[in-house]
Amino acid sequence: MKRLLPFFLLFTFPVIMLLLSAFGGVWQFGSLLPESFSLHGFRVIASSGGHLRMALLVSVLYSISAAVLALLICLPAASLFARCSFRGKALWEAVLLAPALVPSVTFALGTLWVFIRSGLADSFAGVVLVLTAFSYPYMLRALTAGFAAIPYELVLTAENLGAGRLRTFLRIELPLLLPAVATGCSVVFLVSFSEYFLVYLIGGGVVPSYTGYLMPFLTGSDRQSAAALTLLFISVPLLLFFVTDRLTRTLVQRWQS
Amino acid sequence: MIKRSAGGVLRALLPLLLLLGITLGAGGGVTFLQSLGILTPVPAEGGAGFSAYTALLGDAWFWRSFLLSSTAGLASALLSVAGGLTVALLFWRVSAPFPVLKLSYKIPLILPHIVAAFCVLILFGRSGMLSTLSHHLGLTATMQDFPDIAWGWTGVVLAYSLKGVSFTMLMVTGSLSRFDTRLLDTARMLGASPLRTALTVVLPAVRPAAEAAFVILAVYNFGGFDIPWLIGGSSPGMVSVHALNMYQNGSITSRPEVMAQLTVILLYAVAFVAAYSYISRKVSGEGRRI
């Protein structure tokens, strides 16, 4: 326990600093801790009205949409990579996993040009598409590993017993795939929810986002509000991971019994 | 393994390829074409060609940007991997009464890049924690005496490293969990010191994961935008910030140069990964995948 304390402190230190900054009132230079405590930052959040709530809501919505879209388009590809052999497989896999490596800025302006001409710029759908395109590789990786862990004999048995393709997927594969789905969705959600630049560029300010709302606070002088808003920001994925984890466990237990 | 025909493969990959086509494919294509002076908002001077690239290569300002980005990418990747490996090896076999303690290394992973940059400001800024500590220790008298490390190149490297250390740990933890710990007992029985065991027994096992983390971080941190935009400054800015500033504030005739810089970021990423696979194949005799 004692030996792990420095480990714990090392990684929670930024969060501890955020907490101190968010709840600290007067904090003059030279004091290691705030001299007084205040809820100013949280009052700013409480009185911010519709803008903040809208930004938070839309951010959660486009991140969930990106996760669902990534799941749908990665399912057939992941099943293919996990179970089939075909020519050029290694190359396809490398190419399709590459977008996670490439900095998004390299394509973003070109994509904006295409989106302006196709009416997708400044739209919710455009933001979801571009976020999915940059974050699906994590889903593909998780699902491919998930499919590879399912014995194919189970699928064959179900089909021999007369189950259709859809029924086999829903009753046999999906329950076994659930942990991989949860992992993939969590990462895609997190990457999308944290993204500032792509949403700002493709959403053009028309699509509200929490990162866009937060940005001026981070560069401004009111550090207390910035830290409080940041804590709210981090709490969303944390809460979602907790719920997802619980939900996955409950579902897995129910299916197993 | 089931054999699949080309048609079956294409059907399974079609949804992904469609999405990639309208986003990255079309976007990358337009970026490259505009860098050549094709499809630009106003016709390029002197017609289509590689003039934007020759202009960039002769531009001292661009080279300073390029040097700044590449050194920031390499330095942050090096710092992240060195730090992540050290911490991972130090705490790997420490047993935790609460498993959640050992998972705390994932906390910086969920911090968005812009928040990592903000954390650098409150930790390393002139009015931040480190400056306060140095004041208490009598090293600096006023805020202004503390070096301005939170802004510019050092700030960017620190912010990337904050997340990079966690990322490296995530990558090497997988290899460590598969490591046969009986090798450690053997090494100890044969009289190896803990340091020697770490360097000659454990390190080779985690090297592929650590190398992959290094390459991913060096490439990503070269072209990343959020952190340099927030704390990197602009004189000169990193390549991504320089290109975006030119896009937003520059003349519309400068579009080929903007797109040429973005193409350079992509080429850097491709060249870096290719060089790594080539070198690792030469050294170890087999290819490594990222």
Side-chain angles (χ1 to χ4, degrees), chain B residues 29-44:
Chain B
V30 168
T31 302
F32 182 63
L33 286 177
Q34 288 199 346
S35 76
L36 299 178
I38 304 163
L39 286 181
T40 45
V42 289

Side-chain angles (χ1 to χ4, degrees), chain A residues 63-225:
Chain A
S63 307
I64 291 180
S65 308
V68 172
L69 182 62
L71 174 66
L72 292 178
I73 60 172
C74 286
L75 274 173
S79 158
L80 179 84
F81 285 131
R83 292 167 177 166
C84 304
S85 65
F86 52 93
R87 274 183 69 179
K89 183 176 170 181
L91 184 71
W92 273 117
E93 236 181 325
V95 167
L96 289 176
L97 288 174
L101 260 182
V102 178
S104 55
V105 71
T106 52
F107 295 96
L109 292 182
T111 308
L112 178 64
W113 188 93
V114 178
F115 276 18
I116 288 173
R117 272 146 195 83
S118 53
L120 282 167
D122 303 351
S123 77
F124 184 82
V127 170
V128 171
L129 280 178
V130 84
L131 286 174
T132 311
F134 280 100
S135 55
Y136 81 84
Y138 305 101
M139 178 71 84
L140 187 59
R141 227 169 232 240
L143 290 183
T144 307
F147 269 117
I150 301 175
Y152 194 61
E153 289 76 18
L154 291 180
V155 179
L156 290 179
T157 312
E159 282 177 354
N160 281 341
L161 291 171
R165 193 69 202 90
L166 186 68
R167 192 156 170 219
T168 312
F169 175 73
L170 290 178
R171 299 290 298 272
I172 307 291
E173 292 173 285
L174 193 60
L176 292 167
L177 206 58
L178 213 58
V181 171
T183 308
C185 285
S186 301
V187 181
V188 172
F189 179 91
L190 190 63
V191 171
S192 305
F193 192 70
S194 310
E195 179 64 42
Y196 163 72
F197 169 68
L198 282 175
V199 180
Y200 156 81
L201 193 76
I202 303 294
V206 179
V207 180
S209 75
Y210 196 77
T211 38
Y213 187 88
L214 184 63
M215 198 61 159
F217 282 94
L218 295 183
T219 48
S221 57
D222 184 2
R223 289 219 171 144
Q224 221 189 326
S225 302

Side-chain angles (χ1 to χ4, degrees), chain B residues 64-252:
Chain B
R64 281 172 66 191
S65 263
F66 184 84
L67 202 66
L68 212 62
S69 284
S70 51
T71 52
L74 289 171
S76 58
L78 205 63
L79 208 62
S80 303
V81 172
L85 268 180
T86 311
V87 179
L89 293 184
L90 275 179
F91 291 98
W92 166 39
R93 306 205 64 204
V94 177
S95 60
F98 309 107
V100 72
L101 273 187
K102 283 208 108 169
L103 288 177
S104 61
Y105 78 86
K106 287 189 180 171
I107 289 173
L109 278 178
I110 68 158
L111 296 180
H113 281 101
I114 54 173
V115 171
F118 180 65
C119 287
V120 165
L121 292 183
I122 56 178
L123 289 173
F124 299 96
R126 278 183 160 162
S127 59
M129 203 50 175
L130 210 63
S131 171
T132 306
L133 269 178
S134 120
H135 173 79
H136 265 265
L137 295 172
L139 296 172
T140 47
T142 64
M143 259 192 252
Q144 262 56 44
D145 296 334
F146 192 76
D148 201 6
I149 52 172
W151 297 97
W153 189 87
T154 42
V156 172
V157 171
L158 286 170
Y160 276 134
S161 304
L162 180 70
K163 285 183 69 71
V165 168
S166 291
F167 178 71
T168 308
M169 289 194 59
L170 184 76
M171 297 280 284
V172 300
T173 304
S175 316
L176 283 179
S177 64
R178 284 190 299 272
F179 186 81
D180 185 352
T181 48
R182 286 175 304 183
L183 289 174
L184 298 178
D185 304 328
T186 314
R188 200 179 50 232
M189 281 192 284
L190 292 172
S193 68
L195 183 68
R196 187 149 178 225
T197 313
L199 291 179
T200 56
V201 182
V202 187
L203 202 59
V206 294
R207 228 181 88 178
E211 282 178 6
F214 177 82
V215 174
I216 291 173
L217 289 171
V219 165
Y220 188 88
N221 298 352
F222 172 83
F225 177 78
D226 291 5
I227 288 178
W229 174 253
L230 203 63
I231 58 173
S234 57
S235 51
M238 310 268 161
V239 179
S240 56
V241 173
H242 187 229
L244 261 293
N245 272 336
M246 213 170 173
Y247 176 79
Q248 288 190 313
N249 311 321
S251 139
I252 200 161

